[in-house]
Amino acid sequence: MRTFECDYTEGAHPKILEALIRTNMEQMSGYGFDPYTGQAAEKIRAAIGVPVREVTFLTGGTQTNEVAIDLLLAPFEGAISPETGHINVHEAGAVEFTGHKVIALPQSSGVLDVDALEAYLADFYADATHEHMVRPGLVYLTHPTEYGTLYGKAQMQRIRALCDRYEMKLYVDGARLGYALGCPENELTLADLAALCDAFSIGGTKLGLLCGEAVVFTKEAPPHLMSQIKRHGALLAKGRVLGVQFDAMFTDGLYEAIGKEAIRHAHRIRDILAAKGYPFAWQSPTNQQFVLLDDREVESLKKHIGFDLWGRAAGGRWIVRFTSSWSTTDADVDELERALPYKTDL
Amino acid sequence: MRTFECDYTEGAHPKILEALIRTNMEQMSGYGFDPYTGQAAEKIRAAIGVPVREVTFLTGGTQTNEVAIDLLLAPFEGAISPETGHINVHEAGAVEFTGHKVIALPQSSGVLDVDALEAYLADFYADATHEHMVRPGLVYLTHPTEYGTLYGKAQMQRIRALCDRYEMKLYVDGARLGYALGCPENELTLADLAALCDAFSIGGTKLGLLCGEAVVFTKEAPPHLMSQIKRHGALLAKGRVLGVQFDAMFTDGLYEAIGKEAIRHAHRIRDILAAKGYPFAWQSPTNQQFVLLDDREVESLKKHIGFDLWGRAAGGRWIVRFTSSWSTTDADVDELERALPYKTDL
Amino acid sequence: MRTFECDYTEGAHPKILEALIRTNMEQMSGYGFDPYTGQAAEKIRAAIGVPVREVTFLTGGTQTNEVAIDLLLAPFEGAISPETGHINVHEAGAVEFTGHKVIALPQSSGVLDVDALEAYLADFYADATHEHMVRPGLVYLTHPTEYGTLYGKAQMQRIRALCDRYEMKLYVDGARLGYALGCPENELTLADLAALCDAFSIGGTKLGLLCGEAVVFTKEAPPHLMSQIKRHGALLAKGRVLGVQFDAMFTDGLYEAIGKEAIRHAHRIRDILAAKGYPFAWQSPTNQQFVLLDDREVESLKKHIGFDLWGRAAGGRWIVRFTSSWSTTDADVDELERALPYKTDL
Amino acid sequence: MRTFECDYTEGAHPKILEALIRTNMEQMSGYGFDPYTGQAAEKIRAAIGVPVREVTFLTGGTQTNEVAIDLLLAPFEGAISPETGHINVHEAGAVEFTGHKVIALPQSSGVLDVDALEAYLADFYADATHEHMVRPGLVYLTHPTEYGTLYGKAQMQRIRALCDRYEMKLYVDGARLGYALGCPENELTLADLAALCDAFSIGGTKLGLLCGEAVVFTKEAPPHLMSQIKRHGALLAKGRVLGVQFDAMFTDGLYEAIGKEAIRHAHRIRDILAAKGYPFAWQSPTNQQFVLLDDREVESLKKHIGFDLWGRAAGGRWIVRFTSSWSTTDADVDELERALPYKTDL
């Protein structure tokens, strides 16, 4: 039985795997000093289309957030995150492990409440005791969010303006960025992110790499970057593994194509769910679709198809997630369409 | 002009200072190996009245929380705190500095919402992804709270039961504990705290020491305690400075007397404020009294008496704090009574 | 031109790559909950041959040392390492990043001086001020060492006895362990390591994986292991990448065969170097061979073959390293034999 | 029986205590916003005599080193220290607690071997792998050293030149600085230290304060200094306790007088020890004098006078320390002269 539980249930996209196979016996220097890593960085710069200071590669998503945030912040600063942000909830305290407070602010469907951010910052600096408090040094966002939702361009510009006013960095976690870029509804290009953020990541793991995330530092390159990455236990000896994969991902528009195709499947899944009477938890334009089911319905649905029990909604019902990815095929979605009972038949 | 802004505006209680003077030229070993430190620990054990494992001495309040919490937690665990808890708001990220997340939960007038705690814990362990989240290892409370309010005994027992059920430690920050113990409304004795907590502090700084907080570990003593304290930069060479002061504080009931006397003054202050028409922000039975004034009233009041602008209330008015302490005299309160205008006259 | 500079210049051993290809489109759960990861752990347990408590998988060598040491130590303890140990020299301070001191002791050709260890420990505990010093909580060794040398069994037993006497853990970094096991001179089997150590790693990266190190905890499993790994930024979403590779590595004796074959090549390289008059920096029985050349000789040799400038010897000459690996073929060594000039001809 | 074991066996110098008494009931703001703290900083600036950027106050010596070094270094940098340096030996890993490696280099009688420093730095940057190693960001020295010895001006200038060449900070731990300044042999004034160092401390604890160390940042003030101090658990609520004491210490030349007087006593002690045939472990011009005795002699001497068993010398004999301090009187030294047997009579 096919599962739609998440976007990392398979290995690598065939073209990525092929690149690993093709280059496998080439002798190369370690630690990212291979030609593919350099080439991958160049291709990413080209895809971004505006100048950036540094492109580097890490292995996993939590690692990327931990390293990037620690390098962007002064040791005594904290990172603002929506309450539902990955660093605040699902990284086992990796940011605090590096000594930084995560300052959680209100959100709606995963999107930071910018009014709340503005009020928090005004209150913080109006408070005579704020030197006893953790200085907010960075705003952390995910795009798309953990809820599959997207920031609008005006929204992101407003956040950037607040970052400028209060001398903060802006960092966007793009673990699923490709699935935003593949969306018709998305307003933020790579060039926009480069213009608005101090750093952002381009996730590979969920887009079809065995592992790997790129990090783009747009304005300033952290000093002694390789050394700092190693200190965090995050430097791969065979840096080529990341370089070769990202090189393939940014060749001939593969990254873009993967995003678009997965979104096409996601929208079909959304339509199927709607047609069969499943109530959506919220509207998501990206590759994750969320519906609400009660316990009995979940048990019944389990016999037909694989999905993710994402969490409980306020009223007690399950939030059930269906995810498309780089590996989803039309046949998979056809299978879903056949296998999925009408909600009323559960 | 007399100020009532906080409870650490003077140096030391005369009897504490006298003890420092009397012992000043005695030659003693450093690092707490002097006779007074041992004696102070013994007297604190006697005051508690039930056996505890370890009593040690630190210099300041934030340091005490930082060290105690770091020693009570496994490195990967976090500390639950009311949103308004001192460690969450006013310690500049000292707990996160030691690698631990502060998990902020709802509160009311500074008191942790125990229903919210119970719900959080049930949800946490019901969540299939909880190994990706920070394990709550400890509940942090202040008694009295930052709002001057108190936990009831039943409330604290319920928190203890949750700590037992979910294998957490309970730590009470007693920076102002003496002002709780001096309150008729207080239900929690030192013996109760020893029975219910894994550790609690007995604040000296705000009760009349130049500096110094005692920490009581009730059930288990942290291994290599002196070494761990030194590693946190918290070991005094002249440990006697803490030992002599706490020895004096726990001689002839001084600690108890200070608390009672300050509460007597606080209740007079409360009555004066009420009589002159000042609206209370909330009810506090302890040495801090909070009233609400608008900006114009604050400016007007400043000409008459010293107080603390504690923060802004939801509606925008100032929360104005009046504090009694070990140093408050009847003459001081008389002066307040004379100097304080009727609210309508501001 | 072929290079012998190190043992991670190629990608993956063909059988490893084949396993990744074969399993690529299988849908599996993330974070190590896939069947291959479980199977790999079982096969490693079988290869060890005596019961151990936990086998887990990480991505890189420095990460493995950082995580394992941090999990084995109490927060206030330090790790003893030979001065030349990888954690002391070449991990950019990753162990100190987690708050632990590296206590460097004398060594000879990379092997910890056990007499010096014994003397250090006796002195430490004889010192009345030792509670002001960092308690040694663990001995860190590499096998083979950074110099390609090996510990004898009696030597390791003596270190274990000291660990027992002084309540320390023993951790062996096996980044190149396979090349020790493949050596006729090696006295320490996997079962011996399991009996003697509290934990040891089985390096995959240098033995033919794209990336991946196994960690074996022999006596106690760290609590909440997955959560702790994630906190260190070291948990892979697609845990299968490590599981599938290690599963293949421990199938049909591949790990053992790789080690043996590389050592056969290394010994041929050693003989060729000797026959052509190259003076050895020290005797290494494993896959790294070190000879001494002056600057002029190095420049001359560069035209003929690839090698590593490992460092400067005391007298100023270069220590030049030639390395065999899982990827070395007889044809490669034949090429070396042809290409390598007589030392006198440089 | 009088003890000469160390320079922190008594409380506070009478003039310091008097200042605490005199100001005790004055109402002042907390956290260093009292007038005495500001005044103390001004007087220290005046005593230094050349402009410096910031003077702040901390409570203890290890705390001072931990905070100052952490604030001077980038997170990924390490601190060079003589092997015998306090941060390397006797601070229980406080510097590593903040994530920084201590890089220990050779020394002689406590003084860093500047040739070894120069060679280490040249080798470090000549090493092609140095980005895998901890970048030295700071040189840590004590003046006087743990051995009571002193750096010469030319020596310190040479170290400063190396710091400039290799972009490192220079930090001098002046826990006993007053006893250097009181020495005829001392070549380094406060103005010299301000010119040569990026930061240095002026120890109060061992010079007659109950507790307290001043830290002088000469070139750059760390941002958000109070906040950073609080994050390290090092901010005193009653900052006045440090301010009042340092204000008194730098009034009417007290600091200078204390140092001079203690050195006068130390030199008498040195002469007495010499006259009675005690062999010196090494020559110390400052307030600590070290002689060598075997076990039997130590036991015998214990009956006559108090001293410190400082450690074992290479040959196995005890290094026995006699210390003068701010509290030493002529009568004390007379007593020592009477009580001390001839070495041959032990």
Side-chain angles (χ1 to χ4, degrees):
Chain A
M1 185 178 64
R2 173 79 197 178
T3 181
F4 290 84
E5 72 187 70
C6 72
D7 37 18
Y8 43 97
T9 45
E10 289 87 3
H13 188 280
K15 289 194 180 167
I16 302 295
L17 198 56
E18 196 182 287
L20 286 170
I21 297 166
R22 190 180 63 242
T23 60
N24 189 53
M25 294 310 291
E26 293 177 25
Q27 286 196 306
M28 303 181 205
S29 293
Y31 308 114
F33 292 109
D34 64 277
Y36 292 96
T37 296
Q39 207 165 286
E42 282 317 305
K43 290 180 182 173
I44 287 174
R45 286 172 187 274
I48 294 170
V50 297
V52 295
R53 290 298 298 271
E54 183 80 46
V55 178
T56 194
F57 301 98
L58 294 163
T59 309
T62 292
Q63 180 181 88
T64 295
N65 291 336
E66 177 180 325
V67 172
I69 292 170
D70 194 31
L71 268 57
L72 290 165
L73 288 178
F76 56 89
E77 293 176 333
I80 291 174
S81 165
E83 275 176 359
T84 50
H86 206 255
I87 59 166
N88 192 42
V89 181
H90 275 123
E91 301 197 349
V95 168
E96 290 89 353
F97 174 58
T98 64
H100 304 286
K101 188 179 190 70
V102 177
I103 302 163
L105 293 187
Q107 53 77 43
S108 174
S109 296
V111 173
L112 181 66
D113 179 334
V114 191
D115 291 335
L117 172 65
E118 185 160 11
Y120 160 78
L121 291 164
D123 287 355
F124 182 88
Y125 286 103
D127 189 329
T129 69
H130 68 79
E131 286 285 313
H132 296 261
M133 297 157 76
V134 176
R135 194 188 110 84
L138 175 148
V139 174
Y140 164 90
L141 304 174
T142 45
H143 185 77
T145 71
E146 294 74 10
Y147 286 67
T149 49
L150 294 171
Y151 285 85
K153 192 164 177 177
Q155 218 168 7
M156 195 71 93
Q157 285 168 330
R158 198 178 147 209
I159 295 169
R160 175 74 256 174
L162 288 169
C163 288
D164 288 341
R165 192 186 325 158
Y166 293 105
E167 295 183 353
M168 300 189 297
K169 307 267 174 73
L170 178 56
Y171 168 67
V172 168
D173 171 352
R176 290 190 170 97
L177 181 57
Y179 298 129
L181 299 175
C183 250
E185 292 88 341
N186 180 55
E187 303 175 1
L188 289 160
T189 64
L190 287 174
D192 291 334
L193 288 171
L196 292 166
C197 301
D198 295 87
F200 64 100
S201 68
I202 300 176
T205 307
K206 286 163 179 163
L207 267 286
L209 303 196
L210 288 178
C211 60
E213 315 282 303
V215 188
V216 181
F217 292 94
T218 62
K219 295 166 174 53
E220 281 181 77
H224 300 284
L225 182 55
M226 187 181 83
S227 192
Q228 293 213 60
I229 288 173
K230 184 150 203 175
R231 178 178 181 251
H232 286 76
L235 186 68
L236 270 197
K238 294 179 181 168
R240 67 193 288 153
V241 173
L242 305 175
V244 166
Q245 292 187 93
F246 266 104
D247 178 62
M249 183 63 106
F250 279 85
T251 297
D252 295 338
L254 178 58
Y255 179 68
E256 208 184 324
I258 282 173
K260 279 202 177 142
E261 184 72 357
I263 293 306
R264 190 174 62 78
H265 294 308
H267 289 185
R268 261 195 79 197
I269 293 170
R270 186 180 61 189
D271 295 346
I272 293 165
L273 288 163
K276 301 218 176 178
Y278 287 75
F280 289 90
W282 55 83
Q283 292 306 313
S284 158
T286 62
N287 74 317
Q288 306 179 82
Q289 298 297 322
F290 304 85
V291 296
L292 293 168
L293 295 179
D294 65 28
D295 286 28
R296 196 194 48 73
E297 292 163 341
V298 160
E299 283 313 303
S300 171
L301 188 60
K302 274 184 183 169
K303 294 167 212 148
H304 301 279
I305 199 82
F307 52 83
D308 181 46
L309 287 178
W310 196 74
R312 295 270 188 189
R317 280 191 294 176
W318 280 106
I319 300 165
V320 167
R321 181 175 68 167
F322 290 86
T323 310
S324 73
S325 80
W326 60 273
S327 68
T328 309
T329 62
D330 278 312
D332 293 334
V333 186
D334 292 347
E335 186 189 331
L336 175 70
E337 188 159 28
R338 282 193 306 275
L340 189 80
Y342 279 84
K343 163 103 177 353
T344 48
D345 294 341
L346 287 177
Chain B
M1 185 180 60
R2 171 81 196 178
T3 180
F4 291 84
E5 72 187 71
C6 73
D7 37 18
Y8 44 96
T9 43
E10 290 87 4
H13 188 279
K15 289 195 180 168
I16 302 296
L17 198 56
E18 194 183 288
L20 286 169
I21 297 165
R22 189 180 62 242
T23 60
N24 189 53
M25 294 309 291
E26 293 178 26
Q27 286 198 305
M28 303 182 207
S29 292
Y31 307 114
F33 293 110
D34 64 277
Y36 292 96
T37 295
Q39 207 166 288
E42 282 316 304
K43 288 180 182 173
I44 287 175
R45 286 172 188 273
I48 294 170
V50 298
V52 295
R53 289 299 298 271
E54 183 81 44
V55 178
T56 194
F57 300 98
L58 293 162
T59 309
T62 291
Q63 180 181 88
T64 295
N65 290 335
E66 177 179 326
V67 172
I69 290 171
D70 193 31
L71 269 56
L72 289 165
L73 288 178
F76 56 89
E77 293 177 334
I80 293 173
S81 165
E83 275 176 0
T84 50
H86 206 256
I87 60 166
N88 191 44
V89 182
H90 275 122
E91 302 198 347
V95 168
E96 291 88 354
F97 173 58
T98 65
H100 304 286
K101 189 180 189 69
V102 176
I103 303 163
L105 293 186
Q107 54 76 44
S108 173
S109 296
V111 174
L112 181 66
D113 179 333
V114 190
D115 290 335
L117 173 66
E118 185 160 11
Y120 159 78
L121 291 165
D123 288 356
F124 181 88
Y125 286 104
D127 189 329
T129 69
H130 69 77
E131 286 286 312
H132 297 259
M133 297 156 76
V134 176
R135 194 187 110 83
L138 175 147
V139 174
Y140 164 89
L141 304 173
T142 44
H143 186 77
T145 71
E146 294 74 9
Y147 287 67
T149 50
L150 295 172
Y151 285 86
K153 192 164 179 177
Q155 217 169 6
M156 195 70 93
Q157 284 168 332
R158 200 178 146 209
I159 294 170
R160 174 75 254 174
L162 289 168
C163 289
D164 287 341
R165 193 187 324 158
Y166 293 104
E167 296 184 352
M168 300 189 298
K169 307 268 174 72
L170 178 56
Y171 168 66
V172 168
D173 172 352
R176 290 190 171 99
L177 182 56
Y179 298 130
L181 298 175
C183 249
E185 293 88 341
N186 179 55
E187 301 175 3
L188 289 159
T189 64
L190 287 174
D192 291 333
L193 288 171
L196 291 167
C197 302
D198 295 87
F200 64 98
S201 68
I202 300 175
T205 307
K206 286 162 180 164
L207 267 286
L209 303 196
L210 289 178
C211 59
E213 314 283 303
V215 188
V216 181
F217 293 95
T218 61
K219 295 166 173 53
E220 282 181 77
H224 301 283
L225 181 55
M226 188 180 83
S227 191
Q228 294 212 59
I229 289 172
K230 184 150 201 172
R231 178 178 181 251
H232 286 75
L235 186 67
L236 271 196
K238 294 179 181 169
R240 68 192 287 152
V241 173
L242 305 175
V244 165
Q245 290 186 94
F246 267 104
D247 178 61
M249 183 63 105
F250 279 84
T251 297
D252 297 337
L254 177 60
Y255 179 67
E256 210 184 323
I258 283 173
K260 279 203 177 143
E261 184 73 356
I263 293 305
R264 189 172 64 78
H265 293 307
H267 289 187
R268 261 193 79 196
I269 293 170
R270 187 179 61 190
D271 295 345
I272 292 165
L273 288 162
K276 301 218 175 177
Y278 287 77
F280 288 90
W282 55 82
Q283 291 305 314
S284 157
T286 62
N287 74 315
Q288 304 178 82
Q289 298 297 321
F290 304 86
V291 296
L292 293 167
L293 295 178
D294 64 28
D295 286 28
R296 196 195 47 75
E297 292 163 341
V298 160
E299 283 313 304
S300 171
L301 188 59
K302 273 183 183 170
K303 295 167 212 150
H304 301 279
I305 199 82
F307 51 84
D308 180 46
L309 287 178
W310 196 75
R312 294 271 187 188
R317 280 191 295 177
W318 281 106
I319 300 165
V320 166
R321 181 175 69 168
F322 291 85
T323 310
S324 74
S325 79
W326 60 273
S327 68
T328 310
T329 62
D330 278 310
D332 294 333
V333 187
D334 292 347
E335 184 189 332
L336 174 71
E337 190 160 25
R338 281 192 307 272
L340 190 79
Y342 278 84
K343 163 109 179 346
T344 49
D345 294 341
L346 286 177
Chain C
M1 184 179 61
R2 171 81 197 178
T3 180
F4 291 86
E5 71 186 71
C6 73
D7 37 17
Y8 44 96
T9 44
E10 289 87 3
H13 188 280
K15 290 195 180 168
I16 301 296
L17 198 56
E18 196 183 285
L20 286 170
I21 297 165
R22 191 180 62 242
T23 60
N24 189 53
M25 294 309 291
E26 293 178 27
Q27 285 197 307
M28 303 181 207
S29 292
Y31 308 114
F33 292 110
D34 65 277
Y36 292 96
T37 295
Q39 207 165 285
E42 282 316 305
K43 288 180 182 172
I44 287 174
R45 286 172 187 273
I48 294 171
V50 297
V52 295
R53 289 299 298 272
E54 184 80 45
V55 178
T56 194
F57 301 99
L58 294 164
T59 308
T62 292
Q63 181 181 88
T64 295
N65 290 335
E66 177 179 325
V67 172
I69 290 171
D70 194 30
L71 269 56
L72 289 165
L73 289 178
F76 56 88
E77 293 176 334
I80 292 174
S81 165
E83 274 175 1
T84 50
H86 206 255
I87 59 167
N88 191 44
V89 181
H90 275 123
E91 302 197 347
V95 168
E96 290 88 354
F97 174 58
T98 65
H100 303 286
K101 188 180 190 70
V102 177
I103 303 162
L105 294 186
Q107 53 76 44
S108 173
S109 295
V111 174
L112 180 67
D113 179 333
V114 191
D115 290 335
L117 172 66
E118 185 161 11
Y120 159 78
L121 291 165
D123 287 357
F124 182 87
Y125 285 104
D127 189 329
T129 68
H130 69 78
E131 286 287 311
H132 296 259
M133 298 156 76
V134 176
R135 194 188 110 84
L138 176 148
V139 174
Y140 164 90
L141 304 173
T142 45
H143 186 76
T145 69
E146 293 74 10
Y147 286 66
T149 50
L150 296 171
Y151 285 85
K153 192 164 177 177
Q155 217 168 7
M156 196 70 94
Q157 285 168 331
R158 200 178 146 208
I159 295 169
R160 175 74 255 174
L162 289 168
C163 288
D164 287 341
R165 194 188 320 160
Y166 293 105
E167 295 184 353
M168 301 189 297
K169 306 269 174 71
L170 178 56
Y171 168 67
V172 168
D173 171 352
R176 291 190 170 98
L177 182 56
Y179 298 130
L181 299 175
C183 250
E185 293 87 342
N186 179 54
E187 301 175 3
L188 289 160
T189 64
L190 286 174
D192 291 334
L193 288 171
L196 292 167
C197 301
D198 295 87
F200 64 99
S201 68
I202 299 176
T205 307
K206 286 164 179 162
L207 268 285
L209 303 196
L210 289 178
C211 60
E213 315 281 305
V215 189
V216 181
F217 292 94
T218 62
K219 295 166 174 53
E220 282 181 75
H224 301 283
L225 182 55
M226 188 181 82
S227 192
Q228 293 212 58
I229 288 172
K230 184 150 202 173
R231 178 177 181 252
H232 286 76
L235 186 68
L236 271 197
K238 295 179 181 169
R240 66 193 288 153
V241 173
L242 304 176
V244 165
Q245 291 188 93
F246 267 104
D247 179 60
M249 183 61 107
F250 279 85
T251 297
D252 297 337
L254 178 59
Y255 180 67
E256 207 184 326
I258 283 173
K260 278 201 177 145
E261 185 72 356
I263 293 306
R264 189 173 64 78
H265 294 308
H267 289 186
R268 260 194 80 198
I269 293 169
R270 186 180 61 189
D271 295 345
I272 292 164
L273 288 163
K276 301 219 175 175
Y278 288 75
F280 289 90
W282 55 82
Q283 292 305 313
S284 157
T286 63
N287 74 316
Q288 304 179 82
Q289 299 296 321
F290 304 85
V291 296
L292 293 168
L293 295 178
D294 64 29
D295 285 28
R296 195 195 48 74
E297 291 163 341
V298 160
E299 282 313 303
S300 172
L301 188 59
K302 272 183 182 168
K303 295 166 211 148
H304 301 278
I305 199 82
F307 52 83
D308 181 47
L309 287 178
W310 196 74
R312 295 271 186 186
R317 281 190 294 175
W318 280 105
I319 300 166
V320 167
R321 181 175 69 167
F322 291 86
T323 310
S324 74
S325 80
W326 61 272
S327 69
T328 310
T329 62
D330 279 310
D332 293 334
V333 187
D334 293 346
E335 184 190 333
L336 175 71
E337 190 160 26
R338 279 192 309 274
L340 189 79
Y342 278 84
K343 162 104 177 355
T344 47
D345 295 341
L346 287 177
Chain D
M1 185 179 62
R2 172 79 196 178
T3 180
F4 291 84
E5 71 186 72
C6 73
D7 36 18
Y8 42 97
T9 44
E10 288 87 4
H13 186 280
K15 289 194 181 169
I16 302 295
L17 198 56
E18 196 182 287
L20 287 169
I21 297 166
R22 190 181 62 242
T23 61
N24 189 55
M25 294 309 291
E26 293 178 25
Q27 285 197 306
M28 304 181 206
S29 292
Y31 308 114
F33 293 108
D34 63 278
Y36 292 96
T37 296
Q39 205 165 288
E42 282 317 304
K43 289 180 181 173
I44 287 175
R45 286 172 187 273
I48 293 171
V50 297
V52 296
R53 290 299 299 272
E54 182 80 46
V55 178
T56 194
F57 301 98
L58 294 163
T59 310
T62 292
Q63 181 181 89
T64 295
N65 290 335
E66 177 180 326
V67 172
I69 291 171
D70 194 30
L71 269 56
L72 289 166
L73 289 178
F76 55 89
E77 294 176 332
I80 292 174
S81 165
E83 275 176 0
T84 49
H86 206 256
I87 59 166
N88 191 44
V89 181
H90 275 123
E91 301 196 349
V95 168
E96 291 88 355
F97 174 59
T98 66
H100 304 286
K101 189 179 189 70
V102 176
I103 303 164
L105 293 186
Q107 53 77 43
S108 175
S109 296
V111 174
L112 181 66
D113 178 334
V114 191
D115 290 334
L117 173 66
E118 185 160 12
Y120 160 79
L121 290 165
D123 288 355
F124 182 88
Y125 285 103
D127 190 330
T129 69
H130 69 77
E131 286 286 312
H132 296 261
M133 297 156 77
V134 176
R135 195 188 111 83
L138 174 148
V139 174
Y140 164 90
L141 303 174
T142 44
H143 186 76
T145 70
E146 294 75 8
Y147 287 66
T149 50
L150 295 171
Y151 285 85
K153 192 164 178 177
Q155 218 168 6
M156 195 71 93
Q157 284 167 330
R158 198 177 148 210
I159 294 170
R160 175 73 256 173
L162 289 169
C163 289
D164 287 341
R165 192 187 325 160
Y166 292 104
E167 295 182 356
M168 300 190 297
K169 306 266 175 71
L170 178 55
Y171 168 65
V172 168
D173 171 353
R176 290 191 171 97
L177 182 56
Y179 298 129
L181 300 174
C183 250
E185 293 88 342
N186 179 55
E187 302 175 1
L188 290 159
T189 64
L190 286 173
D192 291 333
L193 288 171
L196 292 167
C197 301
D198 295 87
F200 65 98
S201 68
I202 300 175
T205 307
K206 287 164 178 162
L207 268 286
L209 303 196
L210 288 178
C211 60
E213 315 282 304
V215 188
V216 181
F217 293 94
T218 61
K219 296 168 173 50
E220 282 181 77
H224 301 283
L225 182 55
M226 188 181 83
S227 194
Q228 293 212 60
I229 289 172
K230 184 150 202 175
R231 179 177 180 250
H232 286 76
L235 187 67
L236 271 197
K238 294 178 181 168
R240 67 193 286 154
V241 173
L242 304 175
V244 165
Q245 291 187 92
F246 267 104
D247 178 61
M249 182 63 106
F250 279 84
T251 298
D252 296 337
L254 179 59
Y255 179 67
E256 207 183 326
I258 283 174
K260 278 203 177 141
E261 182 74 355
I263 293 305
R264 190 173 63 76
H265 293 308
H267 289 185
R268 259 194 81 197
I269 293 170
R270 186 180 61 189
D271 295 344
I272 292 165
L273 287 163
K276 300 217 175 177
Y278 287 75
F280 287 90
W282 56 81
Q283 291 305 314
S284 157
T286 62
N287 74 317
Q288 305 179 81
Q289 299 296 321
F290 304 85
V291 296
L292 293 168
L293 295 178
D294 65 28
D295 286 29
R296 196 193 48 75
E297 291 164 342
V298 160
E299 282 314 303
S300 171
L301 188 61
K302 273 184 183 169
K303 293 167 212 149
H304 301 277
I305 199 83
F307 52 82
D308 181 45
L309 287 178
W310 196 73
R312 294 271 187 187
R317 279 190 295 175
W318 280 107
I319 299 165
V320 167
R321 181 175 68 169
F322 291 85
T323 310
S324 73
S325 80
W326 61 272
S327 70
T328 309
T329 61
D330 279 311
D332 293 333
V333 186
D334 292 346
E335 184 190 333
L336 174 71
E337 188 159 28
R338 281 192 308 274
L340 189 80
Y342 279 83
K343 164 107 175 355
T344 48
D345 295 341
L346 286 177

